[in-house]
Amino acid sequence: MDAFDRFWQWANKPPESPLTIPAELRQTVMELAPEDRGDRTTVNRAAARAPDPER
């Protein structure tokens, strides 16, 4: 599953779902223009440049 799928699975989850994503992924995608959030390539490229919390 790529970053695009992870973000949209999380964004479309039911309110009672415990599904989470890393804060860095959420922030990175939310910093994109709304029309870019729906583009798989743009989201995945942005996620690849996001800070890695494990470093």
Side-chain angles (χ1 to χ4, degrees):
M1 182 179 305
D2 62 5
F4 178 86
D5 287 335
R6 289 182 71 195
F7 175 80
W8 284 106
Q9 183 180 41
W10 171 81
N12 293 320
K13 69 179 176 56
E16 66 277 0
S17 172
L19 182 66
T20 63
I21 60 172
E24 294 78 10
L25 175 57
R26 182 200 174 278
Q27 172 137 3
T28 297
V29 176
M30 294 306 292
E31 287 175 354
L32 296 171
E35 59 273 8
D36 289 338
R37 293 179 200 150
D39 181 72
R40 181 178 301 273
T41 301
T42 301
V43 169
N44 286 332
R45 284 183 182 159
R49 293 188 305 266
D52 183 351
E54 307 223 350
R55 283 191 235 168

mmCIF file of all heavy atoms in Angstrom:
data_model
loop_
_atom_site.group_PDB
_atom_site.id
_atom_site.type_symbol
_atom_site.label_atom_id
_atom_site.label_comp_id
_atom_site.label_asym_id
_atom_site.label_seq_id
_atom_site.Cartn_x
_atom_site.Cartn_y
_atom_site.Cartn_z
ATOM 1 N N MET A 1 0.851 -1.170 0.000
ATOM 2 C CA MET A 1 0.000 0.000 0.000
ATOM 3 C C MET A 1 0.901 1.239 0.000
ATOM 4 O O MET A 1 1.817 1.343 0.801
ATOM 5 C CB MET A 1 -0.890 -0.026 1.245
ATOM 6 C CG MET A 1 -1.845 1.133 1.309
ATOM 7 S SD MET A 1 -2.948 1.161 2.742
ATOM 8 C CE MET A 1 -3.728 -0.394 2.645
ATOM 9 N N ASP A 2 0.648 2.146 -0.914
ATOM 10 C CA ASP A 2 1.459 3.349 -0.992
ATOM 11 C C ASP A 2 0.888 4.459 -0.099
ATOM 12 O O ASP A 2 -0.165 4.297 0.538
ATOM 13 C CB ASP A 2 1.612 3.813 -2.437
ATOM 14 C CG ASP A 2 0.298 4.193 -3.102
ATOM 15 O OD1 ASP A 2 -0.758 4.197 -2.439
ATOM 16 O OD2 ASP A 2 0.318 4.499 -4.301
ATOM 17 N N ALA A 3 1.594 5.594 -0.033
ATOM 18 C CA ALA A 3 1.178 6.713 0.825
ATOM 19 C C ALA A 3 -0.195 7.243 0.431
ATOM 20 O O ALA A 3 -1.008 7.585 1.294
ATOM 21 C CB ALA A 3 2.221 7.828 0.770
ATOM 22 N N PHE A 4 -0.471 7.300 -0.858
ATOM 23 C CA PHE A 4 -1.768 7.775 -1.330
ATOM 24 C C PHE A 4 -2.893 6.900 -0.768
ATOM 25 O O PHE A 4 -3.859 7.407 -0.194
ATOM 26 C CB PHE A 4 -1.791 7.753 -2.865
ATOM 27 C CG PHE A 4 -3.095 8.187 -3.474
ATOM 28 C CD1 PHE A 4 -3.343 9.530 -3.704
ATOM 29 C CD2 PHE A 4 -4.061 7.258 -3.829
ATOM 30 C CE1 PHE A 4 -4.549 9.936 -4.270
ATOM 31 C CE2 PHE A 4 -5.258 7.654 -4.394
ATOM 32 C CZ PHE A 4 -5.507 9.004 -4.613
ATOM 33 N N ASP A 5 -2.746 5.587 -0.906
ATOM 34 C CA ASP A 5 -3.764 4.669 -0.385
ATOM 35 C C ASP A 5 -3.887 4.764 1.129
ATOM 36 O O ASP A 5 -4.992 4.754 1.672
ATOM 37 C CB ASP A 5 -3.455 3.227 -0.775
ATOM 38 C CG ASP A 5 -3.707 2.950 -2.246
ATOM 39 O OD1 ASP A 5 -4.532 3.655 -2.867
ATOM 40 O OD2 ASP A 5 -3.075 2.025 -2.778
ATOM 41 N N ARG A 6 -2.764 4.851 1.826
ATOM 42 C CA ARG A 6 -2.807 4.948 3.297
ATOM 43 C C ARG A 6 -3.547 6.202 3.732
ATOM 44 O O ARG A 6 -4.383 6.146 4.643
ATOM 45 C CB ARG A 6 -1.392 4.967 3.876
ATOM 46 C CG ARG A 6 -0.694 3.638 3.783
ATOM 47 C CD ARG A 6 0.660 3.671 4.407
ATOM 48 N NE ARG A 6 0.519 3.764 5.862
ATOM 49 C CZ ARG A 6 1.503 4.087 6.676
ATOM 50 N NH1 ARG A 6 2.699 4.354 6.205
ATOM 51 N NH2 ARG A 6 1.308 4.140 7.970
ATOM 52 N N PHE A 7 -3.226 7.339 3.097
ATOM 53 C CA PHE A 7 -3.884 8.579 3.482
ATOM 54 C C PHE A 7 -5.380 8.507 3.225
ATOM 55 O O PHE A 7 -6.181 8.843 4.104
ATOM 56 C CB PHE A 7 -3.286 9.785 2.737
ATOM 57 C CG PHE A 7 -4.034 11.052 3.044
ATOM 58 C CD1 PHE A 7 -3.795 11.738 4.214
ATOM 59 C CD2 PHE A 7 -5.007 11.534 2.181
ATOM 60 C CE1 PHE A 7 -4.500 12.893 4.527
ATOM 61 C CE2 PHE A 7 -5.726 12.682 2.486
ATOM 62 C CZ PHE A 7 -5.467 13.361 3.655
ATOM 63 N N TRP A 8 -5.784 8.082 2.047
ATOM 64 C CA TRP A 8 -7.211 8.088 1.710
ATOM 65 C C TRP A 8 -7.991 7.021 2.460
ATOM 66 O O TRP A 8 -9.167 7.219 2.782
ATOM 67 C CB TRP A 8 -7.419 8.024 0.198
ATOM 68 C CG TRP A 8 -7.117 9.372 -0.367
ATOM 69 C CD1 TRP A 8 -6.020 9.743 -1.079
ATOM 70 C CD2 TRP A 8 -7.892 10.561 -0.176
ATOM 71 N NE1 TRP A 8 -6.064 11.090 -1.344
ATOM 72 C CE2 TRP A 8 -7.204 11.621 -0.805
ATOM 73 C CE3 TRP A 8 -9.082 10.843 0.465
ATOM 74 C CZ2 TRP A 8 -7.687 12.928 -0.813
ATOM 75 C CZ3 TRP A 8 -9.565 12.149 0.457
ATOM 76 C CH2 TRP A 8 -8.865 13.167 -0.173
ATOM 77 N N GLN A 9 -7.347 5.906 2.781
ATOM 78 C CA GLN A 9 -8.030 4.917 3.621
ATOM 79 C C GLN A 9 -8.310 5.542 4.991
ATOM 80 O O GLN A 9 -9.391 5.394 5.549
ATOM 81 C CB GLN A 9 -7.169 3.670 3.760
ATOM 82 C CG GLN A 9 -7.834 2.575 4.559
ATOM 83 C CD GLN A 9 -6.960 1.348 4.683
ATOM 84 O OE1 GLN A 9 -5.746 1.452 4.882
ATOM 85 N NE2 GLN A 9 -7.562 0.190 4.566
ATOM 86 N N TRP A 10 -7.330 6.249 5.527
ATOM 87 C CA TRP A 10 -7.495 6.923 6.820
ATOM 88 C C TRP A 10 -8.530 8.046 6.717
ATOM 89 O O TRP A 10 -9.416 8.165 7.569
ATOM 90 C CB TRP A 10 -6.148 7.474 7.296
ATOM 91 C CG TRP A 10 -6.267 8.358 8.484
ATOM 92 C CD1 TRP A 10 -6.373 7.968 9.793
ATOM 93 C CD2 TRP A 10 -6.334 9.784 8.484
ATOM 94 N NE1 TRP A 10 -6.498 9.074 10.596
ATOM 95 C CE2 TRP A 10 -6.472 10.197 9.809
ATOM 96 C CE3 TRP A 10 -6.290 10.746 7.485
ATOM 97 C CZ2 TRP A 10 -6.558 11.542 10.171
ATOM 98 C CZ3 TRP A 10 -6.386 12.086 7.841
ATOM 99 C CH2 TRP A 10 -6.516 12.469 9.176
ATOM 100 N N ALA A 11 -8.450 8.866 5.686
ATOM 101 C CA ALA A 11 -9.344 10.021 5.539
ATOM 102 C C ALA A 11 -10.803 9.597 5.388
ATOM 103 O O ALA A 11 -11.703 10.328 5.823
ATOM 104 C CB ALA A 11 -8.917 10.867 4.342
ATOM 105 N N ASN A 12 -11.039 8.446 4.802
ATOM 106 C CA ASN A 12 -12.410 7.987 4.550
ATOM 107 C C ASN A 12 -12.904 6.965 5.568
ATOM 108 O O ASN A 12 -13.979 6.392 5.391
ATOM 109 C CB ASN A 12 -12.503 7.393 3.139
ATOM 110 C CG ASN A 12 -12.298 8.449 2.083
ATOM 111 O OD1 ASN A 12 -12.771 9.567 2.199
ATOM 112 N ND2 ASN A 12 -11.557 8.100 1.046
ATOM 113 N N LYS A 13 -12.158 6.770 6.643
ATOM 114 C CA LYS A 13 -12.563 5.780 7.643
ATOM 115 C C LYS A 13 -13.784 6.272 8.421
ATOM 116 O O LYS A 13 -14.007 7.468 8.548
ATOM 117 C CB LYS A 13 -11.408 5.487 8.595
ATOM 118 C CG LYS A 13 -11.077 6.660 9.514
ATOM 119 C CD LYS A 13 -9.953 6.318 10.454
ATOM 120 C CE LYS A 13 -9.515 7.471 11.307
ATOM 121 N NZ LYS A 13 -10.497 8.128 12.106
ATOM 122 N N PRO A 14 -14.557 5.345 8.965
ATOM 123 C CA PRO A 14 -15.677 5.752 9.814
ATOM 124 C C PRO A 14 -15.151 6.399 11.103
ATOM 125 O O PRO A 14 -14.043 6.079 11.554
ATOM 126 C CB PRO A 14 -16.401 4.440 10.131
ATOM 127 C CG PRO A 14 -15.702 3.363 9.425
ATOM 128 C CD PRO A 14 -14.473 3.912 8.773
ATOM 129 N N PRO A 15 -15.917 7.298 11.689
ATOM 130 C CA PRO A 15 -15.452 7.996 12.899
ATOM 131 C C PRO A 15 -15.035 7.061 14.039
ATOM 132 O O PRO A 15 -14.131 7.400 14.795
ATOM 133 C CB PRO A 15 -16.656 8.838 13.316
ATOM 134 C CG PRO A 15 -17.470 8.984 12.083
ATOM 135 C CD PRO A 15 -17.225 7.749 11.256
ATOM 136 N N GLU A 16 -15.646 5.912 14.143
ATOM 137 C CA GLU A 16 -15.323 5.010 15.254
ATOM 138 C C GLU A 16 -14.111 4.124 14.973
ATOM 139 O O GLU A 16 -13.669 3.377 15.843
ATOM 140 C CB GLU A 16 -16.537 4.136 15.605
ATOM 141 C CG GLU A 16 -16.944 3.156 14.531
ATOM 142 C CD GLU A 16 -17.838 3.726 13.428
ATOM 143 O OE1 GLU A 16 -18.185 4.916 13.446
ATOM 144 O OE2 GLU A 16 -18.178 2.952 12.521
ATOM 145 N N SER A 17 -13.531 4.221 13.801
ATOM 146 C CA SER A 17 -12.385 3.394 13.433
ATOM 147 C C SER A 17 -11.129 3.835 14.190
ATOM 148 O O SER A 17 -10.841 5.023 14.300
ATOM 149 C CB SER A 17 -12.114 3.502 11.937
ATOM 150 O OG SER A 17 -10.904 2.840 11.614
ATOM 151 N N PRO A 18 -10.349 2.874 14.675
ATOM 152 C CA PRO A 18 -9.095 3.209 15.354
ATOM 153 C C PRO A 18 -7.909 3.374 14.388
ATOM 154 O O PRO A 18 -6.782 3.576 14.832
ATOM 155 C CB PRO A 18 -8.875 2.002 16.274
ATOM 156 C CG PRO A 18 -9.477 0.868 15.508
ATOM 157 C CD PRO A 18 -10.679 1.458 14.791
ATOM 158 N N LEU A 19 -8.155 3.299 13.093
ATOM 159 C CA LEU A 19 -7.087 3.398 12.100
ATOM 160 C C LEU A 19 -6.324 4.719 12.248
ATOM 161 O O LEU A 19 -6.935 5.784 12.374
ATOM 162 C CB LEU A 19 -7.669 3.314 10.690
ATOM 163 C CG LEU A 19 -6.668 3.358 9.536
ATOM 164 C CD1 LEU A 19 -5.782 2.114 9.547
ATOM 165 C CD2 LEU A 19 -7.402 3.474 8.212
ATOM 166 N N THR A 20 -5.009 4.633 12.241
ATOM 167 C CA THR A 20 -4.170 5.830 12.327
ATOM 168 C C THR A 20 -3.136 5.811 11.204
ATOM 169 O O THR A 20 -2.879 4.781 10.595
ATOM 170 C CB THR A 20 -3.430 5.907 13.675
ATOM 171 O OG1 THR A 20 -2.551 4.790 13.797
ATOM 172 C CG2 THR A 20 -4.402 5.939 14.845
ATOM 173 N N ILE A 21 -2.558 6.978 10.963
ATOM 174 C CA ILE A 21 -1.424 7.114 10.051
ATOM 175 C C ILE A 21 -0.399 7.984 10.758
ATOM 176 O O ILE A 21 -0.743 8.717 11.702
ATOM 177 C CB ILE A 21 -1.822 7.727 8.681
ATOM 178 C CG1 ILE A 21 -2.431 9.125 8.839
ATOM 179 C CG2 ILE A 21 -2.729 6.797 7.912
ATOM 180 C CD1 ILE A 21 -2.670 9.865 7.534
ATOM 181 N N PRO A 22 0.848 7.947 10.335
ATOM 182 C CA PRO A 22 1.853 8.819 10.958
ATOM 183 C C PRO A 22 1.481 10.293 10.775
ATOM 184 O O PRO A 22 0.986 10.703 9.719
ATOM 185 C CB PRO A 22 3.142 8.486 10.207
ATOM 186 C CG PRO A 22 2.912 7.111 9.642
ATOM 187 C CD PRO A 22 1.442 7.044 9.340
ATOM 188 N N ALA A 23 1.718 11.076 11.796
ATOM 189 C CA ALA A 23 1.417 12.503 11.749
ATOM 190 C C ALA A 23 2.151 13.178 10.593
ATOM 191 O O ALA A 23 1.617 14.106 9.974
ATOM 192 C CB ALA A 23 1.785 13.161 13.071
ATOM 193 N N GLU A 24 3.356 12.715 10.304
ATOM 194 C CA GLU A 24 4.140 13.306 9.223
ATOM 195 C C GLU A 24 3.452 13.110 7.873
ATOM 196 O O GLU A 24 3.469 14.003 7.026
ATOM 197 C CB GLU A 24 5.547 12.722 9.184
ATOM 198 C CG GLU A 24 6.391 13.062 10.379
ATOM 199 C CD GLU A 24 6.084 12.235 11.628
ATOM 200 O OE1 GLU A 24 5.318 11.241 11.544
ATOM 201 O OE2 GLU A 24 6.605 12.598 12.694
ATOM 202 N N LEU A 25 2.850 11.937 7.671
ATOM 203 C CA LEU A 25 2.142 11.686 6.418
ATOM 204 C C LEU A 25 0.924 12.595 6.317
ATOM 205 O O LEU A 25 0.689 13.221 5.290
ATOM 206 C CB LEU A 25 1.726 10.218 6.306
ATOM 207 C CG LEU A 25 0.872 9.851 5.094
ATOM 208 C CD1 LEU A 25 1.560 10.225 3.778
ATOM 209 C CD2 LEU A 25 0.510 8.378 5.119
ATOM 210 N N ARG A 26 0.159 12.688 7.377
ATOM 211 C CA ARG A 26 -1.023 13.553 7.362
ATOM 212 C C ARG A 26 -0.623 14.998 7.071
ATOM 213 O O ARG A 26 -1.208 15.652 6.220
ATOM 214 C CB ARG A 26 -1.761 13.486 8.693
ATOM 215 C CG ARG A 26 -3.017 14.354 8.669
ATOM 216 C CD ARG A 26 -3.491 14.701 10.078
ATOM 217 N NE ARG A 26 -4.577 15.636 10.019
ATOM 218 C CZ ARG A 26 -4.438 16.946 9.870
ATOM 219 N NH1 ARG A 26 -3.246 17.484 9.745
ATOM 220 N NH2 ARG A 26 -5.485 17.742 9.826
ATOM 221 N N GLN A 27 0.378 15.498 7.776
ATOM 222 C CA GLN A 27 0.797 16.885 7.586
ATOM 223 C C GLN A 27 1.280 17.126 6.165
ATOM 224 O O GLN A 27 0.939 18.132 5.546
ATOM 225 C CB GLN A 27 1.899 17.244 8.569
ATOM 226 C CG GLN A 27 2.493 18.607 8.271
ATOM 227 C CD GLN A 27 2.724 19.439 9.488
ATOM 228 O OE1 GLN A 27 2.502 18.995 10.594
ATOM 229 N NE2 GLN A 27 3.161 20.646 9.271
ATOM 230 N N THR A 28 2.074 16.217 5.645
ATOM 231 C CA THR A 28 2.610 16.361 4.294
ATOM 232 C C THR A 28 1.495 16.437 3.263
ATOM 233 O O THR A 28 1.503 17.306 2.383
ATOM 234 C CB THR A 28 3.553 15.188 3.969
ATOM 235 O OG1 THR A 28 4.657 15.237 4.880
ATOM 236 C CG2 THR A 28 4.056 15.248 2.550
ATOM 237 N N VAL A 29 0.518 15.554 3.361
ATOM 238 C CA VAL A 29 -0.581 15.551 2.395
ATOM 239 C C VAL A 29 -1.455 16.785 2.573
ATOM 240 O O VAL A 29 -1.858 17.420 1.598
ATOM 241 C CB VAL A 29 -1.412 14.254 2.496
ATOM 242 C CG1 VAL A 29 -2.606 14.300 1.558
ATOM 243 C CG2 VAL A 29 -0.541 13.040 2.177
ATOM 244 N N MET A 30 -1.707 17.179 3.806
ATOM 245 C CA MET A 30 -2.567 18.338 4.047
ATOM 246 C C MET A 30 -1.910 19.643 3.594
ATOM 247 O O MET A 30 -2.603 20.620 3.330
ATOM 248 C CB MET A 30 -2.958 18.417 5.520
ATOM 249 C CG MET A 30 -3.836 17.249 5.961
ATOM 250 S SD MET A 30 -5.315 17.000 4.947
ATOM 251 C CE MET A 30 -6.240 18.457 5.360
ATOM 252 N N GLU A 31 -0.598 19.662 3.481
ATOM 253 C CA GLU A 31 0.094 20.857 2.978
ATOM 254 C C GLU A 31 -0.038 21.002 1.466
ATOM 255 O O GLU A 31 0.220 22.078 0.929
ATOM 256 C CB GLU A 31 1.569 20.817 3.379
ATOM 257 C CG GLU A 31 1.777 21.081 4.854
ATOM 258 C CD GLU A 31 3.212 20.933 5.300
ATOM 259 O OE1 GLU A 31 4.071 20.507 4.489
ATOM 260 O OE2 GLU A 31 3.488 21.227 6.473
ATOM 261 N N LEU A 32 -0.451 19.942 0.783
ATOM 262 C CA LEU A 32 -0.677 20.014 -0.660
ATOM 263 C C LEU A 32 -1.967 20.790 -0.943
ATOM 264 O O LEU A 32 -2.876 20.823 -0.106
ATOM 265 C CB LEU A 32 -0.808 18.612 -1.256
ATOM 266 C CG LEU A 32 0.420 17.711 -1.177
ATOM 267 C CD1 LEU A 32 0.055 16.301 -1.617
ATOM 268 C CD2 LEU A 32 1.550 18.270 -2.030
ATOM 269 N N ALA A 33 -2.051 21.362 -2.123
ATOM 270 C CA ALA A 33 -3.293 22.007 -2.552
ATOM 271 C C ALA A 33 -4.389 20.937 -2.611
ATOM 272 O O ALA A 33 -4.103 19.776 -2.942
ATOM 273 C CB ALA A 33 -3.108 22.646 -3.926
ATOM 274 N N PRO A 34 -5.623 21.298 -2.275
ATOM 275 C CA PRO A 34 -6.702 20.297 -2.274
ATOM 276 C C PRO A 34 -6.794 19.480 -3.564
ATOM 277 O O PRO A 34 -7.003 18.264 -3.511
ATOM 278 C CB PRO A 34 -7.964 21.133 -2.043
ATOM 279 C CG PRO A 34 -7.478 22.311 -1.267
ATOM 280 C CD PRO A 34 -6.098 22.594 -1.827
ATOM 281 N N GLU A 35 -6.599 20.115 -4.699
ATOM 282 C CA GLU A 35 -6.692 19.369 -5.964
ATOM 283 C C GLU A 35 -5.524 18.398 -6.138
ATOM 284 O O GLU A 35 -5.644 17.399 -6.839
ATOM 285 C CB GLU A 35 -6.802 20.306 -7.167
ATOM 286 C CG GLU A 35 -5.656 21.274 -7.324
ATOM 287 C CD GLU A 35 -5.798 22.579 -6.550
ATOM 288 O OE1 GLU A 35 -6.724 22.721 -5.741
ATOM 289 O OE2 GLU A 35 -4.953 23.465 -6.780
ATOM 290 N N ASP A 36 -4.391 18.654 -5.482
ATOM 291 C CA ASP A 36 -3.237 17.763 -5.581
ATOM 292 C C ASP A 36 -3.356 16.548 -4.667
ATOM 293 O O ASP A 36 -2.702 15.530 -4.888
ATOM 294 C CB ASP A 36 -1.941 18.509 -5.251
ATOM 295 C CG ASP A 36 -1.552 19.489 -6.335
ATOM 296 O OD1 ASP A 36 -2.006 19.315 -7.491
ATOM 297 O OD2 ASP A 36 -0.799 20.435 -6.036
ATOM 298 N N ARG A 37 -4.175 16.636 -3.640
ATOM 299 C CA ARG A 37 -4.346 15.511 -2.713
ATOM 300 C C ARG A 37 -4.978 14.300 -3.389
ATOM 301 O O ARG A 37 -4.847 13.183 -2.903
ATOM 302 C CB ARG A 37 -5.211 15.921 -1.529
ATOM 303 C CG ARG A 37 -4.542 16.933 -0.648
ATOM 304 C CD ARG A 37 -5.443 17.341 0.496
ATOM 305 N NE ARG A 37 -4.973 18.616 1.008
ATOM 306 C CZ ARG A 37 -5.733 19.515 1.562
ATOM 307 N NH1 ARG A 37 -7.024 19.303 1.724
ATOM 308 N NH2 ARG A 37 -5.216 20.651 1.985
ATOM 309 N N GLY A 38 -5.654 14.508 -4.491
ATOM 310 C CA GLY A 38 -6.287 13.419 -5.212
ATOM 311 C C GLY A 38 -5.412 12.818 -6.292
ATOM 312 O O GLY A 38 -5.828 11.903 -6.996
ATOM 313 N N ASP A 39 -4.185 13.310 -6.412
ATOM 314 C CA ASP A 39 -3.268 12.810 -7.434
ATOM 315 C C ASP A 39 -2.253 11.866 -6.790
ATOM 316 O O ASP A 39 -1.444 12.284 -5.949
ATOM 317 C CB ASP A 39 -2.546 13.985 -8.104
ATOM 318 C CG ASP A 39 -1.612 13.516 -9.191
ATOM 319 O OD1 ASP A 39 -2.102 13.085 -10.247
ATOM 320 O OD2 ASP A 39 -0.382 13.565 -8.963
ATOM 321 N N ARG A 40 -2.304 10.599 -7.160
ATOM 322 C CA ARG A 40 -1.445 9.567 -6.553
ATOM 323 C C ARG A 40 0.037 9.925 -6.655
ATOM 324 O O ARG A 40 0.779 9.828 -5.681
ATOM 325 C CB ARG A 40 -1.712 8.224 -7.214
ATOM 326 C CG ARG A 40 -0.881 7.081 -6.641
ATOM 327 C CD ARG A 40 -1.206 5.743 -7.285
ATOM 328 N NE ARG A 40 -2.588 5.387 -7.113
ATOM 329 C CZ ARG A 40 -3.075 4.737 -6.039
ATOM 330 N NH1 ARG A 40 -2.264 4.389 -5.070
ATOM 331 N NH2 ARG A 40 -4.356 4.458 -5.969
ATOM 332 N N THR A 41 0.481 10.339 -7.823
ATOM 333 C CA THR A 41 1.906 10.640 -8.012
ATOM 334 C C THR A 41 2.346 11.799 -7.130
ATOM 335 O O THR A 41 3.397 11.735 -6.484
ATOM 336 C CB THR A 41 2.183 10.952 -9.497
ATOM 337 O OG1 THR A 41 1.793 9.828 -10.279
ATOM 338 C CG2 THR A 41 3.655 11.252 -9.726
ATOM 339 N N THR A 42 1.554 12.848 -7.063
ATOM 340 C CA THR A 42 1.901 14.017 -6.255
ATOM 341 C C THR A 42 1.972 13.654 -4.778
ATOM 342 O O THR A 42 2.914 14.043 -4.077
ATOM 343 C CB THR A 42 0.884 15.153 -6.483
ATOM 344 O OG1 THR A 42 0.885 15.482 -7.868
ATOM 345 C CG2 THR A 42 1.226 16.383 -5.672
ATOM 346 N N VAL A 43 0.991 12.908 -4.299
ATOM 347 C CA VAL A 43 0.975 12.508 -2.881
ATOM 348 C C VAL A 43 2.171 11.619 -2.576
ATOM 349 O O VAL A 43 2.873 11.827 -1.573
ATOM 350 C CB VAL A 43 -0.352 11.799 -2.521
ATOM 351 C CG1 VAL A 43 -0.268 11.148 -1.148
ATOM 352 C CG2 VAL A 43 -1.513 12.789 -2.581
ATOM 353 N N ASN A 44 2.455 10.641 -3.408
ATOM 354 C CA ASN A 44 3.573 9.739 -3.146
ATOM 355 C C ASN A 44 4.915 10.461 -3.200
ATOM 356 O O ASN A 44 5.805 10.169 -2.395
ATOM 357 C CB ASN A 44 3.539 8.557 -4.101
ATOM 358 C CG ASN A 44 2.442 7.581 -3.745
ATOM 359 O OD1 ASN A 44 2.040 7.460 -2.595
ATOM 360 N ND2 ASN A 44 1.918 6.894 -4.742
ATOM 361 N N ARG A 45 5.069 11.387 -4.109
ATOM 362 C CA ARG A 45 6.324 12.160 -4.172
ATOM 363 C C ARG A 45 6.494 13.022 -2.931
ATOM 364 O O ARG A 45 7.587 13.121 -2.369
ATOM 365 C CB ARG A 45 6.359 13.026 -5.425
ATOM 366 C CG ARG A 45 6.654 12.246 -6.665
ATOM 367 C CD ARG A 45 6.760 13.144 -7.865
ATOM 368 N NE ARG A 45 7.007 12.348 -9.061
ATOM 369 C CZ ARG A 45 6.760 12.747 -10.279
ATOM 370 N NH1 ARG A 45 6.260 13.959 -10.504
ATOM 371 N NH2 ARG A 45 7.020 11.970 -11.312
ATOM 372 N N ALA A 46 5.422 13.667 -2.511
ATOM 373 C CA ALA A 46 5.485 14.500 -1.306
ATOM 374 C C ALA A 46 5.808 13.638 -0.083
ATOM 375 O O ALA A 46 6.626 14.027 0.755
ATOM 376 C CB ALA A 46 4.168 15.246 -1.110
ATOM 377 N N ALA A 47 5.188 12.485 0.016
ATOM 378 C CA ALA A 47 5.434 11.592 1.157
ATOM 379 C C ALA A 47 6.880 11.100 1.167
ATOM 380 O O ALA A 47 7.477 10.944 2.238
ATOM 381 C CB ALA A 47 4.467 10.414 1.119
ATOM 382 N N ALA A 48 7.447 10.878 0.014
ATOM 383 C CA ALA A 48 8.837 10.420 -0.067
ATOM 384 C C ALA A 48 9.807 11.487 0.431
ATOM 385 O O ALA A 48 10.888 11.169 0.928
ATOM 386 C CB ALA A 48 9.179 10.029 -1.507
ATOM 387 N N ARG A 49 9.425 12.749 0.320
ATOM 388 C CA ARG A 49 10.273 13.859 0.781
ATOM 389 C C ARG A 49 10.003 14.237 2.234
ATOM 390 O O ARG A 49 10.730 15.046 2.803
ATOM 391 C CB ARG A 49 10.054 15.089 -0.095
ATOM 392 C CG ARG A 49 10.528 14.932 -1.520
ATOM 393 C CD ARG A 49 10.465 16.240 -2.273
ATOM 394 N NE ARG A 49 9.142 16.856 -2.248
ATOM 395 C CZ ARG A 49 8.188 16.724 -3.165
ATOM 396 N NH1 ARG A 49 8.430 15.969 -4.216
ATOM 397 N NH2 ARG A 49 7.041 17.337 -3.064
ATOM 398 N N ALA A 50 8.965 13.679 2.834
ATOM 399 C CA ALA A 50 8.581 14.027 4.203
ATOM 400 C C ALA A 50 9.652 13.542 5.189
ATOM 401 O O ALA A 50 10.324 12.546 4.943
ATOM 402 C CB ALA A 50 7.233 13.408 4.548
ATOM 403 N N PRO A 51 9.753 14.238 6.308
ATOM 404 C CA PRO A 51 10.712 13.780 7.339
ATOM 405 C C PRO A 51 10.330 12.394 7.848
ATOM 406 O O PRO A 51 9.159 12.072 7.998
ATOM 407 C CB PRO A 51 10.556 14.806 8.459
ATOM 408 C CG PRO A 51 9.656 15.865 7.956
ATOM 409 C CD PRO A 51 9.021 15.393 6.693
ATOM 410 N N ASP A 52 11.340 11.599 8.103
ATOM 411 C CA ASP A 52 11.118 10.253 8.649
ATOM 412 C C ASP A 52 11.254 10.342 10.163
ATOM 413 O O ASP A 52 12.321 10.654 10.674
ATOM 414 C CB ASP A 52 12.156 9.300 8.070
ATOM 415 C CG ASP A 52 11.968 7.865 8.519
ATOM 416 O OD1 ASP A 52 11.139 7.619 9.419
ATOM 417 O OD2 ASP A 52 12.639 6.981 7.975
ATOM 418 N N PRO A 53 10.174 10.056 10.897
ATOM 419 C CA PRO A 53 10.230 10.190 12.359
ATOM 420 C C PRO A 53 11.179 9.198 13.015
ATOM 421 O O PRO A 53 11.534 9.360 14.162
ATOM 422 C CB PRO A 53 8.780 9.925 12.785
ATOM 423 C CG PRO A 53 8.211 9.096 11.699
ATOM 424 C CD PRO A 53 8.899 9.565 10.430
ATOM 425 N N GLU A 54 11.623 8.185 12.286
ATOM 426 C CA GLU A 54 12.512 7.186 12.859
ATOM 427 C C GLU A 54 13.984 7.548 12.713
ATOM 428 O O GLU A 54 14.845 6.851 13.192
ATOM 429 C CB GLU A 54 12.224 5.834 12.199
ATOM 430 C CG GLU A 54 10.765 5.496 12.279
ATOM 431 C CD GLU A 54 10.508 4.066 12.644
ATOM 432 O OE1 GLU A 54 11.463 3.291 12.651
ATOM 433 O OE2 GLU A 54 9.357 3.751 12.915
ATOM 434 N N ARG A 55 14.274 8.667 12.053
ATOM 435 C CA ARG A 55 15.689 9.085 11.897
ATOM 436 C C ARG A 55 16.102 9.963 13.022
ATOM 437 O O ARG A 55 15.448 10.706 13.595
ATOM 438 C CB ARG A 55 15.860 9.848 10.581
ATOM 439 C CG ARG A 55 15.885 8.938 9.417
ATOM 440 C CD ARG A 55 16.319 9.692 8.197
ATOM 441 N NE ARG A 55 15.302 9.507 7.185
ATOM 442 C CZ ARG A 55 15.221 10.187 6.092
ATOM 443 N NH1 ARG A 55 16.054 11.151 5.862
ATOM 444 N NH2 ARG A 55 14.309 9.947 5.200
#
